[in-house]
Amino acid sequence: MKKPGMDLTGLDLTQPNAARVYDYFLGGAHNFEVDRQAAEKILRVNPWLADAIRENRHFLRRVVRRLTSSGVRQFLDIGSGIPTAGNVHEIARQTAPDATVVYVDIDPLAVAHSQELLTGSDGVSAILGDVREPGRILADPTVRALLDFDRPVGVLLGGVLHFVPGDVDAILDPLRTVLTESSHLVITHAATTSTVKTSGRFTMDGAGLTLRDPDEIRAMFDGLTLLRPGVVAVPEWLPEGAGGTDPAPVDSLSFAGVGRKD
Ligand code: SAM
């Protein structure tokens, strides 16, 4: 799994890690025994979870297509995870070959694999960063080189804010402020009132997530225009339906929303 030349400084292989557990749920190969055991433990209690996580990736693809069709050509994907098929730059470049993307993750393995995958791809890069330090991310030389904040940027916070307990305003304020007109903020977030939770099948065991209710997730778009259909369960966010690529809706762990700066 470790490839020559990869810098995995800081990698702790004794503890399961969110990016690698997520990779296992998606059927990826970038995980270790400790991650597989943690994932299997979660799946024993929540066998539906792998489907729900795949729904998250479907949503990400739908939303990137919609943003590129609205003219967004730049993406900042924070908590981007380990690369799987259909990454943001691949989707965006299907319709906008000039799209630029910066992937940011706290996990050195996710960043190392992203960098490896992106070798030779102009206009796309991956950096190590912590969503709790938005100022550092925004000031990063790679971000500044690839993204022009005087033009529309799509900031993606897919499945990352629920790893941050407490108040997330200090994260969101600088991101909402830096965005110029026609920029978009995309959030998916594990929700207290998801179908999963209300059907009583979700346990927090080992997941380490901070669930928030839809009103709290909606408040993350304060100061932006929340696009239709609002903050909804991930499969319900503009499903592409018959002829599209999305499977039938499944129980959803997360809610999703997209806000536009006007
Ligand atoms: N964004 C992808 C998606 O929506 O499919 C992947 C989401 S995955 C559930 C969450 C990712 O967030 C993991 O790769 C994890 O390493 C990363 N992450 C967790 N805490 C983070 C933090 N404080 N800063 C940046 N990334 C973080």
Side-chain angles (χ1 to χ4, degrees), residues 10-21 31-38 107 206:
L11 194 63
D12 179 357
L13 301 184
T14 66
Q15 296 296 323
N17 159 284
R20 302 190 307 252
V21 169
N31 45 72
F32 296 97
E33 189 54 32
V34 65
D35 308 306
R36 293 190 279 275
Q37 280 177 10
D107 178 46

PDB file of all heavy atoms in Angstrom, residues 10-21 31-38 107 206:
ATOM      1  N   GLY A  10       3.898  11.033  10.145  1.00  0.00           N
ATOM      2  CA  GLY A  10       2.726  11.367  10.963  1.00  0.00           C
ATOM      3  C   GLY A  10       1.635  10.325  10.882  1.00  0.00           C
ATOM      4  O   GLY A  10       0.606  10.437  11.535  1.00  0.00           O
ATOM      5  N   LEU A  11       1.831   9.299  10.089  1.00  0.00           N
ATOM      6  CA  LEU A  11       0.799   8.273   9.942  1.00  0.00           C
ATOM      7  C   LEU A  11       0.804   7.346  11.163  1.00  0.00           C
ATOM      8  O   LEU A  11       1.830   6.801  11.520  1.00  0.00           O
ATOM      9  CB  LEU A  11       1.111   7.467   8.687  1.00  0.00           C
ATOM     10  CG  LEU A  11       0.022   6.572   8.145  1.00  0.00           C
ATOM     11  CD1 LEU A  11      -1.176   7.398   7.705  1.00  0.00           C
ATOM     12  CD2 LEU A  11       0.549   5.774   6.975  1.00  0.00           C
ATOM     13  N   ASP A  12      -0.347   7.201  11.819  1.00  0.00           N
ATOM     14  CA  ASP A  12      -0.460   6.323  12.981  1.00  0.00           C
ATOM     15  C   ASP A  12      -1.238   5.082  12.552  1.00  0.00           C
ATOM     16  O   ASP A  12      -2.436   5.146  12.283  1.00  0.00           O
ATOM     17  CB  ASP A  12      -1.199   7.069  14.103  1.00  0.00           C
ATOM     18  CG  ASP A  12      -1.371   6.202  15.348  1.00  0.00           C
ATOM     19  OD1 ASP A  12      -0.960   5.021  15.311  1.00  0.00           O
ATOM     20  OD2 ASP A  12      -1.926   6.706  16.335  1.00  0.00           O
ATOM     21  N   LEU A  13      -0.504   3.962  12.472  1.00  0.00           N
ATOM     22  CA  LEU A  13      -1.144   2.729  11.990  1.00  0.00           C
ATOM     23  C   LEU A  13      -1.716   1.896  13.129  1.00  0.00           C
ATOM     24  O   LEU A  13      -2.186   0.786  12.914  1.00  0.00           O
ATOM     25  CB  LEU A  13      -0.140   1.902  11.176  1.00  0.00           C
ATOM     26  CG  LEU A  13       0.444   2.621   9.962  1.00  0.00           C
ATOM     27  CD1 LEU A  13       1.348   1.703   9.172  1.00  0.00           C
ATOM     28  CD2 LEU A  13      -0.670   3.155   9.068  1.00  0.00           C
ATOM     29  N   THR A  14      -1.682   2.445  14.356  1.00  0.00           N
ATOM     30  CA  THR A  14      -2.244   1.691  15.479  1.00  0.00           C
ATOM     31  C   THR A  14      -3.702   2.079  15.724  1.00  0.00           C
ATOM     32  O   THR A  14      -4.394   1.417  16.482  1.00  0.00           O
ATOM     33  CB  THR A  14      -1.439   1.941  16.776  1.00  0.00           C
ATOM     34  OG1 THR A  14      -1.600   3.319  17.142  1.00  0.00           O
ATOM     35  CG2 THR A  14       0.023   1.608  16.592  1.00  0.00           C
ATOM     36  N   GLN A  15      -4.137   3.160  15.123  1.00  0.00           N
ATOM     37  CA  GLN A  15      -5.506   3.644  15.335  1.00  0.00           C
ATOM     38  C   GLN A  15      -6.261   3.673  14.015  1.00  0.00           C
ATOM     39  O   GLN A  15      -5.685   4.027  12.990  1.00  0.00           O
ATOM     40  CB  GLN A  15      -5.481   5.087  15.883  1.00  0.00           C
ATOM     41  CG  GLN A  15      -4.854   5.239  17.240  1.00  0.00           C
ATOM     42  CD  GLN A  15      -5.640   4.512  18.323  1.00  0.00           C
ATOM     43  OE1 GLN A  15      -6.866   4.479  18.287  1.00  0.00           O
ATOM     44  NE2 GLN A  15      -4.933   3.892  19.251  1.00  0.00           N
ATOM     45  N   PRO A  16      -7.565   3.316  14.037  1.00  0.00           N
ATOM     46  CA  PRO A  16      -8.344   3.489  12.809  1.00  0.00           C
ATOM     47  C   PRO A  16      -8.413   4.966  12.456  1.00  0.00           C
ATOM     48  O   PRO A  16      -8.331   5.821  13.329  1.00  0.00           O
ATOM     49  CB  PRO A  16      -9.725   2.941  13.176  1.00  0.00           C
ATOM     50  CG  PRO A  16      -9.781   2.907  14.656  1.00  0.00           C
ATOM     51  CD  PRO A  16      -8.376   2.824  15.156  1.00  0.00           C
ATOM     52  N   ASN A  17      -8.533   5.231  11.202  1.00  0.00           N
ATOM     53  CA  ASN A  17      -8.499   6.609  10.734  1.00  0.00           C
ATOM     54  C   ASN A  17      -9.695   6.848   9.805  1.00  0.00           C
ATOM     55  O   ASN A  17     -10.022   5.993   8.973  1.00  0.00           O
ATOM     56  CB  ASN A  17      -7.153   6.791  10.013  1.00  0.00           C
ATOM     57  CG  ASN A  17      -7.150   7.931   9.064  1.00  0.00           C
ATOM     58  OD1 ASN A  17      -7.704   7.826   7.984  1.00  0.00           O
ATOM     59  ND2 ASN A  17      -6.532   9.000   9.456  1.00  0.00           N
ATOM     60  N   ALA A  18     -10.341   8.009   9.956  1.00  0.00           N
ATOM     61  CA  ALA A  18     -11.603   8.275   9.245  1.00  0.00           C
ATOM     62  C   ALA A  18     -11.463   8.103   7.727  1.00  0.00           C
ATOM     63  O   ALA A  18     -12.318   7.489   7.078  1.00  0.00           O
ATOM     64  CB  ALA A  18     -12.089   9.683   9.567  1.00  0.00           C
ATOM     65  N   ALA A  19     -10.380   8.637   7.160  1.00  0.00           N
ATOM     66  CA  ALA A  19     -10.223   8.585   5.701  1.00  0.00           C
ATOM     67  C   ALA A  19     -10.106   7.140   5.221  1.00  0.00           C
ATOM     68  O   ALA A  19     -10.685   6.749   4.202  1.00  0.00           O
ATOM     69  CB  ALA A  19      -8.989   9.382   5.275  1.00  0.00           C
ATOM     70  N   ARG A  20      -9.364   6.319   5.989  1.00  0.00           N
ATOM     71  CA  ARG A  20      -9.131   4.944   5.544  1.00  0.00           C
ATOM     72  C   ARG A  20     -10.346   4.060   5.810  1.00  0.00           C
ATOM     73  O   ARG A  20     -10.644   3.147   5.041  1.00  0.00           O
ATOM     74  CB  ARG A  20      -7.868   4.395   6.224  1.00  0.00           C
ATOM     75  CG  ARG A  20      -6.635   5.247   5.937  1.00  0.00           C
ATOM     76  CD  ARG A  20      -5.351   4.581   6.400  1.00  0.00           C
ATOM     77  NE  ARG A  20      -5.383   4.165   7.770  1.00  0.00           N
ATOM     78  CZ  ARG A  20      -4.710   4.760   8.772  1.00  0.00           C
ATOM     79  NH1 ARG A  20      -3.972   5.819   8.538  1.00  0.00           N
ATOM     80  NH2 ARG A  20      -4.777   4.278   9.996  1.00  0.00           N
ATOM     81  N   VAL A  21     -11.070   4.335   6.921  1.00  0.00           N
ATOM     82  CA  VAL A  21     -12.315   3.604   7.181  1.00  0.00           C
ATOM     83  C   VAL A  21     -13.317   3.921   6.074  1.00  0.00           C
ATOM     84  O   VAL A  21     -13.992   3.048   5.526  1.00  0.00           O
ATOM     85  CB  VAL A  21     -12.877   3.974   8.582  1.00  0.00           C
ATOM     86  CG1 VAL A  21     -14.291   3.438   8.766  1.00  0.00           C
ATOM     87  CG2 VAL A  21     -11.962   3.436   9.682  1.00  0.00           C
ATOM     88  N   ASN A  31      -6.403   1.032   2.894  1.00  0.00           N
ATOM     89  CA  ASN A  31      -6.728   0.933   4.323  1.00  0.00           C
ATOM     90  C   ASN A  31      -5.914  -0.197   4.928  1.00  0.00           C
ATOM     91  O   ASN A  31      -5.399  -1.059   4.216  1.00  0.00           O
ATOM     92  CB  ASN A  31      -8.233   0.687   4.497  1.00  0.00           C
ATOM     93  CG  ASN A  31      -8.751  -0.378   3.548  1.00  0.00           C
ATOM     94  OD1 ASN A  31      -8.465  -1.557   3.731  1.00  0.00           O
ATOM     95  ND2 ASN A  31      -9.481   0.034   2.518  1.00  0.00           N
ATOM     96  N   PHE A  32      -5.793  -0.165   6.265  1.00  0.00           N
ATOM     97  CA  PHE A  32      -5.004  -1.157   6.991  1.00  0.00           C
ATOM     98  C   PHE A  32      -5.934  -2.018   7.837  1.00  0.00           C
ATOM     99  O   PHE A  32      -7.109  -1.700   8.012  1.00  0.00           O
ATOM    100  CB  PHE A  32      -3.967  -0.457   7.877  1.00  0.00           C
ATOM    101  CG  PHE A  32      -2.947   0.333   7.106  1.00  0.00           C
ATOM    102  CD1 PHE A  32      -3.096   1.700   6.918  1.00  0.00           C
ATOM    103  CD2 PHE A  32      -1.842  -0.293   6.544  1.00  0.00           C
ATOM    104  CE1 PHE A  32      -2.156   2.423   6.195  1.00  0.00           C
ATOM    105  CE2 PHE A  32      -0.897   0.421   5.827  1.00  0.00           C
ATOM    106  CZ  PHE A  32      -1.056   1.778   5.652  1.00  0.00           C
ATOM    107  N   GLU A  33      -5.366  -3.089   8.400  1.00  0.00           N
ATOM    108  CA  GLU A  33      -6.157  -4.020   9.202  1.00  0.00           C
ATOM    109  C   GLU A  33      -6.942  -3.297  10.305  1.00  0.00           C
ATOM    110  O   GLU A  33      -8.120  -3.582  10.539  1.00  0.00           O
ATOM    111  CB  GLU A  33      -5.221  -5.091   9.802  1.00  0.00           C
ATOM    112  CG  GLU A  33      -5.932  -6.248  10.478  1.00  0.00           C
ATOM    113  CD  GLU A  33      -6.970  -6.940   9.592  1.00  0.00           C
ATOM    114  OE1 GLU A  33      -6.790  -6.989   8.365  1.00  0.00           O
ATOM    115  OE2 GLU A  33      -7.990  -7.409  10.153  1.00  0.00           O
ATOM    116  N   VAL A  34      -6.282  -2.349  10.965  1.00  0.00           N
ATOM    117  CA  VAL A  34      -6.934  -1.637  12.061  1.00  0.00           C
ATOM    118  C   VAL A  34      -8.166  -0.868  11.553  1.00  0.00           C
ATOM    119  O   VAL A  34      -9.195  -0.774  12.232  1.00  0.00           O
ATOM    120  CB  VAL A  34      -5.911  -0.700  12.775  1.00  0.00           C
ATOM    121  CG1 VAL A  34      -5.434   0.410  11.860  1.00  0.00           C
ATOM    122  CG2 VAL A  34      -6.455  -0.151  14.064  1.00  0.00           C
ATOM    123  N   ASP A  35      -8.085  -0.352  10.320  1.00  0.00           N
ATOM    124  CA  ASP A  35      -9.215   0.370   9.730  1.00  0.00           C
ATOM    125  C   ASP A  35     -10.333  -0.600   9.345  1.00  0.00           C
ATOM    126  O   ASP A  35     -11.512  -0.324   9.565  1.00  0.00           O
ATOM    127  CB  ASP A  35      -8.758   1.128   8.477  1.00  0.00           C
ATOM    128  CG  ASP A  35      -7.545   1.983   8.749  1.00  0.00           C
ATOM    129  OD1 ASP A  35      -7.606   2.799   9.687  1.00  0.00           O
ATOM    130  OD2 ASP A  35      -6.525   1.808   8.046  1.00  0.00           O
ATOM    131  N   ARG A  36      -9.924  -1.744   8.767  1.00  0.00           N
ATOM    132  CA  ARG A  36     -10.923  -2.731   8.326  1.00  0.00           C
ATOM    133  C   ARG A  36     -11.695  -3.270   9.522  1.00  0.00           C
ATOM    134  O   ARG A  36     -12.908  -3.444   9.471  1.00  0.00           O
ATOM    135  CB  ARG A  36     -10.240  -3.868   7.553  1.00  0.00           C
ATOM    136  CG  ARG A  36      -9.646  -3.398   6.225  1.00  0.00           C
ATOM    137  CD  ARG A  36      -9.206  -4.573   5.369  1.00  0.00           C
ATOM    138  NE  ARG A  36      -7.908  -5.108   5.747  1.00  0.00           N
ATOM    139  CZ  ARG A  36      -6.729  -4.638   5.326  1.00  0.00           C
ATOM    140  NH1 ARG A  36      -6.677  -3.602   4.508  1.00  0.00           N
ATOM    141  NH2 ARG A  36      -5.591  -5.189   5.701  1.00  0.00           N
ATOM    142  N   GLN A  37     -10.968  -3.503  10.624  1.00  0.00           N
ATOM    143  CA  GLN A  37     -11.650  -4.013  11.829  1.00  0.00           C
ATOM    144  C   GLN A  37     -12.651  -2.983  12.355  1.00  0.00           C
ATOM    145  O   GLN A  37     -13.782  -3.323  12.721  1.00  0.00           O
ATOM    146  CB  GLN A  37     -10.623  -4.342  12.914  1.00  0.00           C
ATOM    147  CG  GLN A  37      -9.970  -5.690  12.677  1.00  0.00           C
ATOM    148  CD  GLN A  37      -8.891  -5.998  13.710  1.00  0.00           C
ATOM    149  OE1 GLN A  37      -8.748  -5.307  14.711  1.00  0.00           O
ATOM    150  NE2 GLN A  37      -8.130  -7.040  13.453  1.00  0.00           N
ATOM    151  N   ALA A  38     -12.232  -1.722  12.382  1.00  0.00           N
ATOM    152  CA  ALA A  38     -13.138  -0.668  12.871  1.00  0.00           C
ATOM    153  C   ALA A  38     -14.353  -0.562  11.952  1.00  0.00           C
ATOM    154  O   ALA A  38     -15.497  -0.460  12.418  1.00  0.00           O
ATOM    155  CB  ALA A  38     -12.403   0.670  12.931  1.00  0.00           C
ATOM    156  N   ASP A 107      -5.329  13.907   6.743  1.00  0.00           N
ATOM    157  CA  ASP A 107      -4.694  12.589   6.785  1.00  0.00           C
ATOM    158  C   ASP A 107      -3.554  12.503   5.768  1.00  0.00           C
ATOM    159  O   ASP A 107      -3.780  12.647   4.556  1.00  0.00           O
ATOM    160  CB  ASP A 107      -5.745  11.518   6.479  1.00  0.00           C
ATOM    161  CG  ASP A 107      -5.113  10.136   6.473  1.00  0.00           C
ATOM    162  OD1 ASP A 107      -4.348   9.857   7.409  1.00  0.00           O
ATOM    163  OD2 ASP A 107      -5.350   9.376   5.525  1.00  0.00           O
ATOM    164  N   GLY A 206     -17.870   3.946  18.170  1.00  0.00           N
ATOM    165  CA  GLY A 206     -16.644   3.967  17.372  1.00  0.00           C
ATOM    166  C   GLY A 206     -16.641   4.981  16.249  1.00  0.00           C
ATOM    167  O   GLY A 206     -15.637   5.167  15.580  1.00  0.00           O
TER     168      GLY A 206
END
